[in-house]
Amino acid sequence: MPDWSYHPLKKLVLDKIRPKTSREFIHKSMSTIASIPGGRDLIGFLGHMKPPRELQKEIYHTRFPSPIGLSGHIDPNLSGINAFQELGFGFVEIGPIVLNEPKEQREPRRENSHILFSDHQEKVPLKLAIKKLTSLNIRIPIFARIDAQVKRNEWDIIVQYLTPFVDVFIGTSEQINSCVDKSVMCLERSFYVSFYADEINNKILEIGKSIQHTCIGGIVVNAPHRTEDSYWHEAANTNECLVKTVKQVKELHPELMVITSGGVEAPEEACALVRAGADLLMLTDGYVKAGPGLPKRIHERLLYEEVRPIKNQNWYWSFLFGLSILIGGIIALYFALTSIILPYDESFIGLTKADILKVNPLILSFMSHDRMALGGTMISGGILYIQLARNGIKYGMHWTRVSFHSAAIVGFLGIFLFIGFGYFDWMHGLFWLFLLPIYYFSFREGKRVTGTPYSIHGKNDRAWKYGLYGQLMFIILGFLILVGGIVISTIGVSKVFVSTDLGFLCMSPQMLDSISNNLIPVIAHDRAGFGSALVSVGLLVLMISLWGFRKGECWIWNTLAIGALPALIAGIGTHIYIGYTTFIHLLPVYFLVILYLLGLVLSYPFLKKK
């Protein structure tokens, strides 16, 4: 559930129901999707949340795909653990772990902008933890936080049974020191001592004593809490407090591994902790407020901090491919506005343009409208390809390469739609053969495009929130264009006409067949080709909208603003030009225009203001 769907749903539904109900709905939904065949690929397609290789860490022989983890407070029932590893997290904490389920457990509640956790909060029984960890295919490290009330005999049992499944144990200084003194610590796993940031000053000596033991891997610094009526929440200015504490600890013990828990709602706050010296970060209720895209945004902000030269990649063949599509669209538009059909069309039909005009001039108008729409769509596709080449592939952005080639391959396959009615347009075939070597070299030059995007965006400001709604508009726009292209292609290779088409022509398919048996195949081939072009453009708009939205990325806004325009203008203009203005027929295009305008307005402050 990316942020562009999470925040609208959160505002409309999730904030109006019990926190536990909304939490379980989100976690179980995501885990269900991650469990079905192809579900993980779907999550990756929608969010592109995989952590970048540059941020991988290895600590005590354990590999962390990302320094960003999730606190156990967010998922005490372990209902979402299967999905979290697909959302960009490098590790997940479970807990607080207890031996047996407590008799009294109170779910969190929401008050103003805070999520309040009870002093008798939900806890994870050992049996539930084992059941989940054994049944799921978990590929990231697991931290087990043992409840502060667990005594030594229960501690021994919990550690013994969880050791095969977890990588790190977290406990209080009293628990760990008690076990260390009695030499009952398991040396197969690292143990981290948990402190609150506002009590560090009183426990500096205790930290120094604890880290002398070889089994102690480091400390966990928790955000300070404020208690109200047996409920607690993170205190105000927790990030500043954590930054100050981490710096203080690192100055005294620079070799000590420090993990923070809480105090992060925005990418800039995570960066502040990393700059202070934190080795790993765990997100708490800030993750709920900011949305599932927070780990990805933190990754991009951390990458922005790294100073590295930008190596321009080869992009000229990709640019030439887009330019060829653009020129092809202009040529198609020219013929649609002038001769409409060409000599080889007349030869196949067995009738000249003049003959068709004598029978029914609306036939040529109808053919013109499909060919004009095809030309406008090709021009849009050419603009989108060119923009991806000169602003993405050129700078090594992997997501632009995937977008470019996915749409291009689908577009190439569209030529085979002629099979539906058997009319092969040799000019389209020549254009296809002309494009093929250009695309081959474009594909080859794209193999080295493996870069990860980065972003300066650090705050959850109003522009970002409006940008999410703008992004949602463009995602719906791209999806609907894609679906529309599939529907039109299907109609083109099956029944060819819809009822409003026949109403415009004032003729039935049987009457058209009586004029020439080859007339409908020519119309069908135009329709199928137009649908195929729409599928490619829909894919481009969809993938650019899914993966390209970052603060200050002016070229994304320009690409969508200019790139979608020719197709939309052609879609409406061609119908006005021939007088085919049936409202119900044009209603989908009107809806697309509304989405397009809303997307531009809502995303402008986020994308255009640097």
Side-chain angles (χ1 to χ4, degrees):
M1 181 168 287
D3 289 344
W4 48 263
S5 62
Y6 174 78
H7 281 278
L9 184 64
K10 185 176 186 292
K11 187 173 183 179
L12 294 173
V13 180
L14 298 181
D15 285 348
K16 294 178 173 57
I17 59 180
R18 290 167 49 205
K20 181 178 179 180
T21 304
S22 64
R23 178 191 74 199
E24 294 304 310
F25 168 74
I26 292 289
H27 291 175
K28 288 180 180 178
S29 299
M30 292 191 299
S31 286
T32 300
I33 293 173
S35 301
I36 62 176
R40 289 176 173 173
D41 293 331
L42 175 62
I43 293 174
F45 176 80
L46 292 177
H48 247 227
M49 295 179 178
K50 186 177 180 181
R53 293 189 304 271
E54 295 92 332
L55 297 181
Q56 289 182 6
K57 283 192 170 188
E58 185 165 325
I59 301 174
Y60 301 135
H61 307 294
T62 299
R63 189 182 68 84
F64 292 85
S66 159
I68 311 302
L70 184 66
S71 166
H73 294 308
I74 303 302
D75 188 25
N77 291 336
L78 308 185
S79 53
I81 193 169
N82 194 38
F84 293 138
Q85 56 191 342
E86 309 301 328
L87 302 181
F89 287 109
F91 64 100
V92 171
E93 179 191 62
I94 61 172
I97 307 288
V98 292
L99 188 59
N100 299 303
E101 186 171 353
K103 294 181 180 179
E104 183 181 9
Q105 294 190 89
R106 298 178 189 172
E107 62 186 67
R109 58 188 176 91
R110 189 183 297 109
E111 187 175 292
N112 299 324
S113 61
H114 295 299
I115 296 175
L116 304 180
F117 295 92
S118 172
D119 290 337
H120 302 282
Q121 69 187 72
E122 299 164 286
K123 298 178 182 180
V124 183
L126 178 62
K127 286 184 179 179
L128 174 62
I130 294 174
K131 178 182 177 182
K132 288 287 185 177
L133 295 175
T134 53
S135 62
L136 299 175
N137 178 23
I138 299 174
R139 305 183 306 280
I140 58 176
I142 298 294
F143 288 17
R145 183 185 290 266
I146 300 179
D147 186 64
Q149 304 302 319
V150 167
K151 303 303 180 184
R152 206 204 80 190
N153 56 335
E154 293 179 333
W155 170 284
D156 295 345
I157 296 172
I158 292 172
V159 170
Q160 178 185 349
Y161 279 96
L162 285 184
T163 293
F165 308 108
V166 305
D167 301 272
V168 169
F169 289 98
I170 300 172
T172 65
S173 58
E174 292 80 8
Q175 289 173 325
I176 293 180
N177 286 332
S178 171
C179 295
V180 167
D181 292 342
K182 295 177 174 53
S183 301
V184 293
M185 294 291 282
C186 168
L187 298 180
E188 297 179 32
R189 296 290 181 264
S190 296
F191 290 79
Y192 283 70
V193 186
S194 177
F195 297 96
Y196 284 96
D198 49 3
E199 65 179 6
I200 287 289
N201 287 332
N202 301 326
K203 298 200 174 184
I204 287 293
L205 293 177
E206 191 174 328
I207 292 174
K209 177 183 176 183
S210 297
I211 63 176
Q212 293 176 2
H213 300 287
T214 55
C215 61
I216 304 301
I219 65 171
V220 176
V221 182
N222 302 286
H225 292 169
R226 293 294 176 264
T227 302
E228 300 175 9
D229 300 327
S230 74
Y231 277 83
W232 57 266
H233 62 84
E234 288 189 5
N237 301 318
T238 53
N239 186 257
E240 292 86 344
C241 181
L242 281 172
V243 169
K244 181 180 177 181
T245 302
V246 171
K247 286 181 179 178
Q248 182 181 355
V249 172
K250 282 291 188 177
E251 285 175 1
L252 293 172
H253 306 285
E255 77 290 348
L256 181 65
M257 296 299 302
V258 176
I259 304 172
T260 62
S261 179
V264 175
E265 292 184 22
E268 185 58 47
E269 294 175 335
C271 283
L273 288 171
V274 171
R275 285 193 293 263
D279 298 286
L280 299 173
L281 316 177
M282 283 192 285
L283 306 180
T284 55
D285 58 339
Y287 173 72
V288 179
K289 297 174 186 176
L294 183 56
K296 175 185 176 181
R297 293 167 57 213
I298 293 173
H299 295 154
E300 293 177 354
R301 185 66 181 85
L302 290 173
L303 285 179
Y304 182 83
E305 296 282 303
E306 296 184 9
V307 179
R308 59 192 182 283
I310 298 175
K311 295 181 180 179
N312 291 353
Q313 303 291 330
N314 293 330
W315 59 285
Y316 300 108
W317 285 107
S318 300
F319 176 85
L320 183 59
F321 179 83
L323 183 62
S324 301
I325 298 288
L326 175 63
I327 294 173
I330 293 173
I331 294 172
L333 192 61
Y334 170 77
F335 284 128
L337 290 169
T338 53
S339 61
I340 303 176
I341 59 174
L342 298 172
Y344 62 86
D345 293 322
E346 295 177 331
S347 174
F348 181 78
I349 296 171
L351 296 170
T352 65
K353 180 180 177 180
D355 294 333
I356 297 173
L357 283 171
K358 289 177 183 177
V359 176
N360 184 352
L362 293 178
I363 294 174
L364 284 178
S365 296
F366 185 80
M367 295 175 71
S368 171
H369 116 284
D370 268 350
R371 295 190 172 193
M372 286 167 62
L374 170 63
T377 305
M378 288 178 65
I379 292 171
S380 284
I383 293 171
L384 296 175
Y385 283 124
I386 288 171
Q387 286 289 86
L388 286 172
R390 65 189 293 266
N391 292 289
I393 293 174
K394 178 180 179 180
Y395 298 110
M397 292 295 100
H398 178 257
W399 74 265
T400 59
R401 169 200 168 194
V402 175
S403 304
F404 188 102
H405 294 294
S406 299
I409 290 171
V410 169
F412 271 115
L413 294 176
I415 197 171
F416 295 107
L417 291 174
F418 80 92
I419 294 172
F421 271 86
Y423 177 52
F424 183 76
D425 186 332
W426 66 267
M427 182 170 282
H428 287 183
L430 288 177
F431 184 61
W432 192 88
L433 291 174
F434 171 76
L435 283 178
L436 195 58
I438 297 175
Y439 178 72
Y440 170 75
F441 289 112
S442 168
F443 186 83
R444 282 191 59 183
E445 74 182 5
K447 287 185 177 181
R448 296 182 180 180
V449 177
T450 58
T452 305
Y454 51 87
S455 174
I456 194 174
H457 184 221
K459 297 179 180 179
N460 302 336
D461 52 13
R462 182 177 297 181
W464 168 69
K465 291 181 179 178
Y466 282 143
L468 291 177
Y469 285 91
Q471 184 180 14
L472 177 61
M473 295 299 105
F474 278 117
I475 288 170
I476 297 173
L477 176 67
F479 178 75
L480 291 180
I481 293 173
L482 173 62
V483 171
I486 294 172
V487 170
I488 292 172
S489 297
T490 304
I491 292 172
V493 297
S494 55
K495 60 181 183 178
V496 184
F497 303 102
V498 295
S499 58
T500 55
D501 296 334
L502 299 175
F504 172 77
L505 289 167
C506 301
M507 298 182 78
S508 67
Q510 292 76 20
M511 295 171 68
L512 292 168
D513 257 339
S514 67
I515 299 170
S516 169
N517 291 333
N518 291 332
L519 183 57
I520 289 181
V522 174
I523 296 173
H525 121 278
D526 286 336
R527 181 140 290 191
F530 168 50
S532 171
L534 273 181
V535 170
S536 291
V537 170
L539 275 174
L540 288 171
V541 172
L542 179 61
M543 289 184 285
I544 289 171
S545 304
L546 282 172
W547 305 336
F549 267 62
R550 287 173 188 84
K551 183 177 177 65
E553 293 281 7
C554 300
W555 75 272
I556 294 292
W557 194 91
N558 296 338
T559 298
L560 293 171
I562 300 170
L565 207 54
L568 293 175
I569 291 174
I572 296 176
T574 182
H575 290 84
I576 296 173
Y577 180 74
I578 68 170
Y580 185 6
T581 55
T582 308
F583 177 76
I584 194 66
H585 182 73
L586 285 174
L587 184 59
V589 188
Y590 295 147
F591 183 62
L592 294 181
V593 170
I594 292 172
L595 289 174
Y596 167 76
L597 294 175
L598 284 174
L600 290 180
V601 172
L602 291 170
S603 62
Y604 184 88
F606 182 64
L607 293 176
K608 289 289 281 185
K609 293 186 178 180
K610 295 186 179 180

